[in-house]
């Protein structure tokens, strides 16, 4: 996934109200930017951090969107809206072998109660595969962990996937790690025990879990390699 436009460097001053951040541009101007991440952004919101901004399009209230944060010696993608496109491109390119070979794909297909799945893959022979995609950016040691905040919506998606598996369809939870410095994926039961429990129940019901890490650059983000999923790590 390529960024639209050239990113601009800034320094993070503060993040607040979930979707807002104040940053200082190299010329000293302080501007408020859109922070497209509702989570805690643990370890990624320290004042003084170098951040990278994407210029907003015409008609947008704020001039920039915060896309990347420099942390732990690497670039980290924090935009939770990006993994759907990152994953879609990787699937179509055959970079996620577990999801290759389907004839068609659709976005935002209604399923469950008042929910829309991120991707529905279909094939006359293989049938349907419902795919939910989650952004991961929190690292503890070398473990990519999810979630970094309580996510009732995430728990709902796990249960919806289990329901699709129960009627004979394939169901997949795909975690996209927008950083390249993790070696394994694990849950965060201390943050959200309900999600962790739902995840174990979903796996027992036949839901498949996959995790892929990304190469993050100033021009874009792309999936590069799989990470092992170890729920008890």
């Amino acid at each position: 996934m390529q960024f639209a436009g050239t990113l601009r460097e800034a320094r993070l001053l503060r993040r607040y109200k979930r979707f807002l951040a104040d940053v200082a541009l190299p010329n000293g101007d302080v501007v408020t930017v859109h922070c497209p991440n509702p989570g805690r952004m643990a370890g990624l919101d320290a004042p003084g951090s170098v951040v990278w901004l994407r210029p907003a399009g015409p008609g947008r209230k704020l001039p920039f969107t915060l896309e990347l944060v420099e942390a732990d010696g690497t670039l980290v993608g924090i935009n939770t809206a990006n993994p759907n496109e990152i994953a879609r491109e990787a699937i179509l390119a055959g970079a996620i072998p577990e999801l290759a070979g389907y004839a068609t794909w659709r976005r935002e297909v209604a399923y469950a109660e008042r929910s829309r799945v991120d991707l529905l893959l279909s094939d006359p022979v293989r049938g349907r595969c419902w795919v939910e995609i989650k952004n991961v950016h929190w690292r503890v040691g070398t473990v990519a962990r999810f979630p970094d905040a309580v996510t009732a919506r995430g728990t709902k998606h796990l249960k919806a996937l289990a329901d699709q598996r129960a009627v004979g369809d394939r169901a997949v939870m795909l975690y996209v790690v927008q950083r390249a410095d993790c070696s394994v994926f694990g849950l965060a039961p201390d943050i959200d025990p309900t999600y962790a429990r739902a995840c174990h129940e979903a796996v027992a019901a036949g839901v498949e879990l996959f995790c892929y890490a990304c190469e993050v650059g100033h021009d874009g983000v792309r999936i590069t390699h799989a990470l092992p999923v170890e729920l008890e790590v």
Side-chain angles (χ1 to χ4, degrees):
M1 187 207 75
Q2 299 294 306
F3 293 125
T6 301
L7 300 190
R8 291 187 59 180
E9 182 179 351
R11 290 275 178 180
L12 181 65
L13 299 178
R14 64 170 182 146
R15 181 208 177 203
Y16 56 103
K17 293 184 179 179
R18 297 177 71 195
F19 295 108
L20 298 176
D22 290 340
V23 304
L25 300 177
N27 64 4
D29 290 347
V30 174
V31 296
T32 299
V33 302
H34 175 51
C35 180
N37 189 310
R40 288 170 53 226
M41 284 180 57
L44 301 176
D45 60 353
S49 298
V50 175
V51 297
W52 294 86
L53 314 173
R54 174 174 52 82
R60 298 298 298 270
K61 181 178 180 180
L62 299 175
F64 297 102
T65 294
L66 199 163
E67 289 285 353
L68 308 177
V69 175
E70 293 186 12
D72 306 315
T74 192
L75 284 172
V76 183
I78 62 92
N79 191 334
T80 59
N82 288 342
N84 283 14
E85 181 59 18
I86 294 168
R88 186 191 70 85
E89 290 182 2
I91 292 169
L92 294 182
I96 302 179
E98 297 91 343
L99 298 177
Y102 286 89
T104 62
W105 61 271
R106 288 190 292 158
R107 291 181 172 132
E108 299 293 324
V109 179
Y111 82 140
E113 182 180 354
R114 295 188 297 176
S115 291
R116 292 182 177 273
V117 75
D118 292 322
L119 281 177
L120 174 59
L121 308 177
S122 301
D123 186 82
V125 176
R126 302 180 67 186
R128 299 186 300 183
C129 178
W130 303 81
V131 183
E132 287 286 358
I133 302 164
K134 298 300 179 189
N135 177 73
V136 183
H137 53 246
W138 182 31
R139 190 193 76 168
V140 180
T142 62
V143 181
R145 292 201 180 274
F146 183 89
D148 72 342
V150 173
T151 173
R153 185 168 179 265
T155 297
K156 179 182 177 182
H157 288 160
L158 285 169
K159 293 178 178 178
L161 288 174
D163 288 343
Q164 296 305 128
R165 186 70 192 96
V167 299
D169 289 344
R170 192 179 176 200
V172 170
M173 180 65 75
L174 176 63
Y175 299 97
V176 176
V177 182
Q178 286 198 76
R179 58 191 302 163
D181 58 352
C182 299
S183 61
V184 65
F185 171 84
L187 299 175
D190 53 328
I191 298 296
D192 191 343
T194 300
Y195 182 88
R197 184 168 55 253
C199 196
H200 283 279
E201 292 172 352
V203 170
V207 176
E208 301 168 70
L209 308 184
F210 301 114
C211 181
Y212 275 79
C214 295
E215 177 184 83
V216 181
H218 297 115
D219 58 345
V221 183
R222 67 182 183 90
I223 279 175
T224 54
H225 62 283
L227 294 181
V229 175
E230 299 182 12
L231 300 186
E232 302 298 338
V233 69

